[in-house]
């Protein structure tokens, strides 16, 4: 896989830059806020961070099985740097939220997210975490999308997404990390918690 | 009043140490919270708290038509998705009095047994992994991918199938179906003895499972523990033998029963069931009759007013579907009697007296899938 | 039992018992050696707008016969019926679920708490239940 350097000075490995025409957010990120011309040390640090993301063991329902299958011998994600799962949020880099989140589980998810040290990332895996999924209509307890709670970096659609889709999501996250400031930039929350009335925060 | 009841339930004696095995835990196989009251390392009391994945499926089904319900039943016990679908389809077909083609029953049974093997493979992975033997995770999932390949080739989806529909199947199987299954059986018959070599005769595994969590026959019936966990205690509850459905009348297989009732017995029952499933597959795969893949059904399915109940044997136990209909195209009330709901609460009887590491072994051997408890 | 009803059910034998004889009837069918109904398959409730119906499917492991026991609770408020959890242990949890989702109280239940939902939430499986903030109705 050749190293391609773009006109903005970001070295992104593993995929042709021309393939990413629809990644507007990534362009936005690199155009505003974060430093566009990264120095060598910064890019080495980012390369190290992006290629060793360790997730937290967090699987609620069906997507958890596909996440386990992604770690299985066929679609191994250890070759992407996701070497081990950490059981404690204090040692994890990314939380791959796999499965439906209901109102009873939401405070637990928020607490886990808060316990993770910076820089931390969130992958929303599966339709349930993006928007409520098959439970969007007529359910009284499903949270319609975890981006009402925590800021999400990558959305992986599917019900359940194929392991290859999750691998693509992880690769996207790696690209995002490489375009960032080495200590992790401040990300905006797409929807502020409490803004969408479908979720009531109690206490 | 509520708080006092809770306090009396949880705290045993004054010098007990109450620990949460919280909803996020690598070994609880989903979001289940155990409130464990410990004396040193010995468990005095375990109270499971569920509800962390309660999505209100039964209420949702009241506004969905019958073919749409199938897609929701997939997501209850996702490891035996095909059997869940089949339960609702059989109930609706029984209510309508529809005659299902022979081809459909044969294919449904074949896929049932494949699903059962796949589910037991995943159980084996997870149980070994919980005990610390990480190798089992890789072996089991490697072999499971073969079955998922068959599923994907047949109907496009690895895990959540929705291939059944009231009246039959969504579409016909592809011509290479039989060959794939024969190849898989040949492959897996060589691999399954490896599972025995890895875990069953392992000294550490034996120490951790022999005599742990003994469930007596009396308790199994009282708590309604069905499936392999119940059969390990001698409870003869296999619905495939009691009320045969599908093609189970035509095949011969043994109902695997044991009497010890401990964790090792539950383990051995599941391994033996994998052999039995392969035996059933060998009998059926060469004799798929020709015919339609679905009976002729109306476009909008209206179940006549009344109450209907159907039980099937999923990989974890007995799933009962109870439909109350008032003649519309959506059910008035649908109730799923799920196996994991009854299997879960027996932990509060099995675990006290053992160490906390044994709690992991016991809950692994009961093979719980949490969304099935909460629906 | 003179005041029991026998609704027509093509599948299983069904019996409708009055609320105050419900517990005694269940105890009789469990302990009698000819009937020996020792395995409770499921216990649930149905909301029929003016009354509720508790439905139990019980079977015998010895004789392999199944019975559906129903009892009728009139009205919509202050519903309660005697618990059968000392006869079949699994009923303890099925009854907790019915309490959680319907609001029917079971007397003499060892631990009647809500199972899935929060303490102050309504009873979702009732037909008149609405929740504007959490439900999106199609």
């Amino acid at each position: 896989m050749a190293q391609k350097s773009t006109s903005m000075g970001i070295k992104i490995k593993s995929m042709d830059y021309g393939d990413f025409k629809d990644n507007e957010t990534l362009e936005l990120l690199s155009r505003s806020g974060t430093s566009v011309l990264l120095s060598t040390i910064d890019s080495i640090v980012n390369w190290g961070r992006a290629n060793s993301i360790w997730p937290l063991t967090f699987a609620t329902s069906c997507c958890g099985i596909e996440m386990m299958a992604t770690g299985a011998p066929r679609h191994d994600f250890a070759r992407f740097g996701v070497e081990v799962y950490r059981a404690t949020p204090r040692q994890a880099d990314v939380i791959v939220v796999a499965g439906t989140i209901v109102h009873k589980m939401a405070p637990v998810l928020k607490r886990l997210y808060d316990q993770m040290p910076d820089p931390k990332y969130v992958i929303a895996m599966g339709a349930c975490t993006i928007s409520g999924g098959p439970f969007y209509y007529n359910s009284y307890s499903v949270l319609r999308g975890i981006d009402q709670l925590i800021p999400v970096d990558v959305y992986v659609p599917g019900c359940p997404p194929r392991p290859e889709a999750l691998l693509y999501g992880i690769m996207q996250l790696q690209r995002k990390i490489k375009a960032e400031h080495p200590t992790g930039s401040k990300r905006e929350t797409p929807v502020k918690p409490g803004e969408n009335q479908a979720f009531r925060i109690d206490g | 009043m509520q708080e006092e009841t809770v306090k009396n339930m949880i705290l045993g004696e004054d010098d007990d140490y109450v620990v949460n095995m919280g909803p996020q835990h690598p070994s609880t196989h989903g979001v289940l919270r155990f409130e464990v009251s410990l004396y040193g390392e010995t468990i005095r009391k375990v109270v499971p708290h569920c509800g962390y994945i309660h999505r209100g499926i039964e209420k949702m089904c009241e506004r969905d038509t019958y073919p749409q319900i199938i897609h929701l039943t997939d997501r209850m016990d996702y490891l035996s998705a095909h059997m869940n679908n089949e339960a609702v389809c059989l109930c609706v077909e029984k209510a309508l009095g529809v005659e299902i083609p022979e081809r459909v029953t044969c294919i449904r049974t074949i896929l049932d047994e494949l699903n059962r093997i796949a589910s037991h493979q995943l159980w084996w992975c997870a149980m070994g992994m919980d005990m610390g033997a990480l190798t089992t995770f890789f072996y089991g999932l490697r072999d499971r991918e073969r079955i998922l390949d068959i599923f994907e080739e047949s109907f496009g989806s690895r895990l959540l199938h929705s291939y059944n529909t009231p009246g039959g199947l969504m579409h016909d199987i592809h011509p290479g179906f039989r060959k794939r299954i024969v190849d898989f059986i040949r492959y897996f018959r060589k691999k399954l003895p490896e599972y025995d070599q890895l875990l069953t005769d392992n000294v550490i595994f034996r120490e951790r499972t022999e005599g742990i969590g003994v469930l007596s026959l009396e308790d199994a019936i009282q708590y309604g523990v069905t499936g392999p966990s119940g059969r390990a205690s001698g409870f003869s509850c296999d619905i495939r033998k009691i009320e045969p459905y599908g093609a189970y009348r035509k095949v011969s297989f043994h109902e695997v029963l044991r009497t010890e009732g401990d964790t090792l017995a539950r383990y051995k029952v599941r391994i033996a069931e994998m052999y039995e499933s392969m035996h059933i597959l060998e009998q059926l795969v060469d004799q798929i009759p020709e015919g339609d893949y679905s009976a002729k059904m109306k476009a909008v399915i209206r179940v006549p007013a009344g109450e209907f109940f159907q039980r099937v044997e999923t990989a974890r136990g007995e799933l009962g579907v109870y439909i109350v209909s008032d003649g519309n195209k959506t059910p008035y009330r649908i109730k799923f009697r799920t196996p994991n709901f009854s299997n879960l609460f027996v932990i509060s009887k099995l675990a006290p007296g053992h160490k906390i590491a044994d709690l992991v072994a016991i809950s692994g051997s009961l093979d719980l899938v949490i969304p099935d408890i909460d629906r | 039992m003179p005041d029991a009803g026998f609704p027509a059910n093509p599948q299983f034998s069904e019996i409708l018992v009055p609320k105050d004889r419900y517990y005694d009837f269940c105890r009789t069918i469990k302990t009698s050696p000819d009937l020996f109904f020792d395995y409770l398959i499921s216990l649930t409730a149905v909301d029929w707008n003016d009354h509720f119906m508790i439905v139990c499917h019980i079977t015998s492991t010895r004789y392999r016969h199944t019975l559906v026991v129903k009892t009728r609770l009139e009205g919509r408020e202050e519903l309660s019926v005697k618990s059968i959890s000392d006869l079949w242990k699994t009923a303890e949890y099925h009854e907790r679920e019915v309490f959680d989702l319907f609001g029917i109280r079971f007397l003499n239940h060892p631990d009647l708490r809500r199972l899935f939902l929060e303490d102050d939430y309504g009873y979702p499986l009732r037909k008149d239940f609405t929740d504007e903030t959490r439900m999106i109705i199609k």
Side-chain angles (χ1 to χ4, degrees), chain A residues 57 74 104 139-141 162, chain B residues 24 50 54-55 149 152:
Chain A
T57 55
R74 184 177 282 192
K104 193 168 176 183
S139 168
Y140 49 83
S141 66
R162 283 200 56 118
Chain B
Q24 181 262 339
C50 46
H54 177 69
R55 298 174 275 202
D149 278 344
E152 197 185 354

Side-chain angles (χ1 to χ4, degrees), chain B residues 94 307 309 332-333 337 375, chain C residues 11 41 44-45 47 70:
Chain B
K94 188 194 287 192
E307 308 185 356
F309 190 72
Y332 188 78
R333 164 103 172 97
R337 183 262 180 221
R375 276 159 276 134
Chain C
Q11 207 176 345
I41 304 176
T44 181
D47 179 357
K70 288 186 175 177

Side-chain angles (χ1 to χ4, degrees), chain B residues 40-199:
Chain B
E41 220 176 282
T42 319
I43 300 177
R44 278 265 173 80
K45 205 175 224 170
V46 175
V47 178
H49 293 262
C50 46
Y52 288 94
I53 187 86
H54 177 69
R55 298 174 275 202
I57 289 182
E58 291 180 0
K59 180 85 179 176
M60 286 171 74
C61 286
E62 290 174 11
R63 299 188 76 94
D64 279 340
T65 62
Y66 290 97
Q68 289 171 334
I69 291 178
I70 308 290
H71 302 272
L72 288 177
T73 54
D74 264 340
R75 280 129 181 103
M76 282 190 326
D77 178 4
Y78 40 81
L79 292 173
S80 10
H82 191 265
M83 299 173 229
N84 289 8
N85 294 347
E86 192 177 352
V88 175
C89 289
L90 286 174
C91 200
V92 172
E93 287 153 11
K94 188 194 287 192
L96 293 170
V98 172
E99 184 71 37
I100 304 296
E102 285 282 316
R103 185 176 172 85
V104 170
T105 49
C106 191
I107 295 176
R108 273 183 182 171
T109 309
I110 290 178
L111 290 171
D112 266 358
E113 293 305 316
L114 273 179
N115 213 340
R116 198 182 309 272
I117 298 179
S119 166
H120 284 329
Q121 278 171 332
L122 193 82
W123 157 79
W124 187 76
C125 295
M127 180 153 184
M129 190 169 67
D130 289 345
M131 309 277 239
L134 202 51
T135 316
T136 62
F137 181 70
F138 298 112
Y139 274 53
L141 282 182
R142 171 197 67 182
D143 299 327
R144 186 164 182 260
E145 291 289 330
R146 301 272 177 140
I147 299 185
L148 297 184
D149 278 344
I150 299 179
F151 287 157
E152 197 185 354
E153 209 176 351
S154 307
F155 30 84
S157 147
R158 289 154 53 99
L159 192 66
L160 303 170
H161 312 148
S162 305
Y163 184 47
N164 281 319
T165 185
L169 306 169
M170 288 262 194
H171 51 76
D172 211 348
I173 48 174
H174 64 100
F177 188 67
R178 188 201 149 268
K179 179 172 183 311
R180 295 269 186 263
I181 297 185
V182 166
D183 287 341
F184 169 72
I185 296 176
R186 201 181 308 138
Y187 167 81
F188 197 50
R189 274 219 185 261
K190 286 199 290 268
K191 296 292 180 180
L192 194 49
E194 271 181 20
Y195 290 19
D196 272 333
Q197 274 177 334
L198 262 183
L199 263 196

Side-chain angles (χ1 to χ4, degrees), chain C residues 67-135:
Chain C
L67 180 68
V68 181
V69 177
K70 288 186 175 177
T71 181
R72 196 177 150 121
L73 304 173
E74 297 294 337
R76 296 193 70 83
E77 308 296 326
E78 308 269 331
L79 302 157
S80 64
V81 71
K82 200 153 179 225
S83 157
I84 53 173
S85 55
D86 47 347
L87 301 170
W88 295 285
K89 207 71 180 80
T90 181
E92 189 180 327
Y93 305 102
H94 283 99
E95 286 173 354
R96 273 180 70 181
E97 185 197 344
V98 169
F99 169 60
D100 191 8
L101 297 173
F102 285 94
I104 300 175
R105 301 197 75 84
F106 289 88
L107 310 169
N108 296 342
H109 191 277
D111 174 31
L112 196 68
R113 276 180 293 153
R114 298 195 72 144
L115 197 60
F116 300 138
L117 297 165
E118 298 98 40
D119 286 330
D120 54 351
Y121 202 64
Y123 300 115
L125 247 55
R126 289 192 175 206
K127 292 291 172 183
D128 52 356
F129 172 79
T130 50
D131 187 350
E132 300 300 323
T133 50
R134 289 199 195 179
M135 280 181 86

